[in-house]
């Protein structure tokens, strides 16, 4: 089981470590004062990657090869030069889409030294040398349907979920806010838009079922059953049994089917966790009561987990990358926009408060 | 020769000492500087080579005119400063 957790926040990166007493404490901090938007912990070794958003000075990538004892800046994924005369505008607001990496939103490992990186405004990159260099996935960017993507929460579209098939690392599936679900079978050279059964209530009725208009907030994949995907969508919770081609909506999920984060048990595809919020403009726990929703039967039923979570009114919102599960499927952690962090060692039955005083949490990741 | 200086806020992230180069435009001055200190480039310029949205370049007391292509001309005693804009948080 993982005894260490990385927490990326608006004001730095933190390591939380389990003590012999069972208490989890903050034991390290890095990049204090700087927003950390994504982290990656190499499961096989001592490598860590952290994506920083320095605001004025742009997006930066840092890597440690000694478990965080030291860090070095490495190349950040950058867009190619925009050809003269190319018009590239948001389809509904008419804003010019910048060909600049504005934020690194997702980092996922593939094969050895392979890293996928999704960014705002909608670019996807792949490195095969552990981040020393990045290849822009132009086949996805140049697909004419990409120009129909639009911002979801941010001004421009972004890629927040990257699922690398453990059976075939050339098979990757990405989630786009707002632009649906796309899959490749050849490491990014060709792409297919998938996602039948999804529903977008924020579009006119004739567009509601269009896979291109979907706003997946987060998609996760079961490691032992990679055809089973779970999705927290803007309009609810969806599940797929064929790698995202067809989705089934789960209705009547209490207290809410709205939220951002989801994780699935790595070896039990029917068990998944969500953190519900009041949809969709308000975005705080329903009735100000923070709970975690768990299904153990593939979404037929859900239970609200609350032991150890605040009994008093709470207004924590949990971002899409701020909930994680360890590789054994026993330990979970989540952090909130109000700087709270909780860990469970029993699949969510009980939660331990780690801190209520962190900066706003962007992402959490177990170091398995 | 024209000089180039950076806000101390940038020195927290990357080594960027003051320097002078024989350059007739801001683009040329930056090119020469980034050849010597390549790690500074993407702190100042974006992916397209334009000045970052929340970075200010001051040339002899005036804001840079051509933030996209940096074609502003320089004299032999020009002073160029790179600052962090107060916009951008």
């Amino acid at each position: 089981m993982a005894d260490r957790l990385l927490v990326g926040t608006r004001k730095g990166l933190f390591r939380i470590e389990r003590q012999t007493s069972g208490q989890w404490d903050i034991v390290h901090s890095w990049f204090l004062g700087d927003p950390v938007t994504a982290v990656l912990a190499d499961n096989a070794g001592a490598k860590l990657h952290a994506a920083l958003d320095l605001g004025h000075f742009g997006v930066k990538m840092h890597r440690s090869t000694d478990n965080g004892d030291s860090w070095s800046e490495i190349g950040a994924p950058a867009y190619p030069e925009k050809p003269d005369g190319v018009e590239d505008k948001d389809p509904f607001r008419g804003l010019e889409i910048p060909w600049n990496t504005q934020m690194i939103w997702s980092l996922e490992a593939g094969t050895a030294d392979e890293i996928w990186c999704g960014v705002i405004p909608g670019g996807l990159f792949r490195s095969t040398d552990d981040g020393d260099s990045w290849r822009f996935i132009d086949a996805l960017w140049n697909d004419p349907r990409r120009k129909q993507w639009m911002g979801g929460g941010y001004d421009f579209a972004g890629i927040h979920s990257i699922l690398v098939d453990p059976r075939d690392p050339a098979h990757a599936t990405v989630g786009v806010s707002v632009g649906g679900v796309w899959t490749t079978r050849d490491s990014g050279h060709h792409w297919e838009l998938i996602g039948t059964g999804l529903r977008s209530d924020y579009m006119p009725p004739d567009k509601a079922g269009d896979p291109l208009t979907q706003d997946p907030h987060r998609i996760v994949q079961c490691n032992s059953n990679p055809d089973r995907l779970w999705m927290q969508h803007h309009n609810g919770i969806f599940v797929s049994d064929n790698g995202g081609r067809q989705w089934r909506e789960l209705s009547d999920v209490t207290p809410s089917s709205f939220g951002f984060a989801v994780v699935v048990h790595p070896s039990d595809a029917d068990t998944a966790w969500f953190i519900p919020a009041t949809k969709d403009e308000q975005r705080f726990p329903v009735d100000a009561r923070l709970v975690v929703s768990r299904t153990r039967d593939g979404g037929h039923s859900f239970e609200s987990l609350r032991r150890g979570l605040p009994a008093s009114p709470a207004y924590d919102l949990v971002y899409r990358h701020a909930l994680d599960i360890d590789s054994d499927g026993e330990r979970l952690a989540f952090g909130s926009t109000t700087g709270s962090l909780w860990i469970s060692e029993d699949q969510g039955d009980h939660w331990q408060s780690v801190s209520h005083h962190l900066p706003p949490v962007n992402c959490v990741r177990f170091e398995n | 020769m024209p000089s180039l200086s950076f806000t101390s806020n940038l020195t927290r992230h990357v080594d960027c000492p003051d320097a002078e180069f024989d350059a007739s435009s801001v683009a040329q001055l930056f090119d020469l500087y980034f050849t010597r200190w390549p790690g500074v480039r993407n702190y100042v310029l974006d992916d397209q080579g334009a000045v970052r949205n929340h970075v200010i370049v001051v040339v002899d007391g005036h804001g840079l005119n051509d933030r996209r292509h940096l074609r502003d001309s320089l004299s032999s005693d020009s002073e160029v400063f790179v600052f962090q804009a107060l916009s951008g948080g």
Side-chain angles (χ1 to χ4, degrees), chain A residues 32 34 54 56-60 73 77-82 99-101, chain B residues 7 9-10 12-13 42-43 46-48 52 54-55 84-85 87-89:
Chain A
L32 278 178
D34 298 326
L54 297 185
H56 302 83
F57 301 121
V59 163
K60 309 293 175 233
E73 184 179 344
Y79 275 68
E81 184 176 350
K82 184 180 179 184
W99 285 38
N100 283 299
T101 298
Chain B
T7 170
N9 291 341
L10 188 52
R12 186 166 77 87
H13 301 293
N42 72 358
Y43 284 81
D46 66 19
D47 297 358
Q48 301 302 311
R52 288 195 173 278
H54 297 295
V55 167
Q84 170 178 315
S87 59

Side-chain angles (χ1 to χ4, degrees), chain A residues 282-320:
Chain A
Q282 294 181 314
R283 306 186 179 192
F284 60 83
V286 176
D287 298 328
R289 187 70 202 274
L290 180 63
V291 301
V292 175
S293 296
R294 179 177 64 193
T295 177
R296 289 191 178 282
D297 54 12
H300 295 290
S301 65
F302 285 81
E303 56 189 319
S304 291
L305 310 173
R306 60 186 77 211
R307 276 179 282 190
L309 298 178
S312 56
Y315 301 92
D316 299 78
L317 180 69
V318 179
Y319 279 166
R320 65 197 83 212

Side-chain angles (χ1 to χ4, degrees), chain A residues 82-114:
Chain A
K82 184 180 179 184
D84 289 337
V86 169
E87 185 172 270
D88 199 357
K89 292 185 175 178
D90 176 283
F92 295 102
R93 296 179 303 146
L95 296 177
E96 192 70 31
I97 297 171
W99 285 38
N100 283 299
T101 298
Q102 294 191 325
M103 188 173 85
I104 292 175
W105 217 7
S106 50
L107 289 170
E108 295 296 342
T111 57
D113 289 337
E114 181 188 35

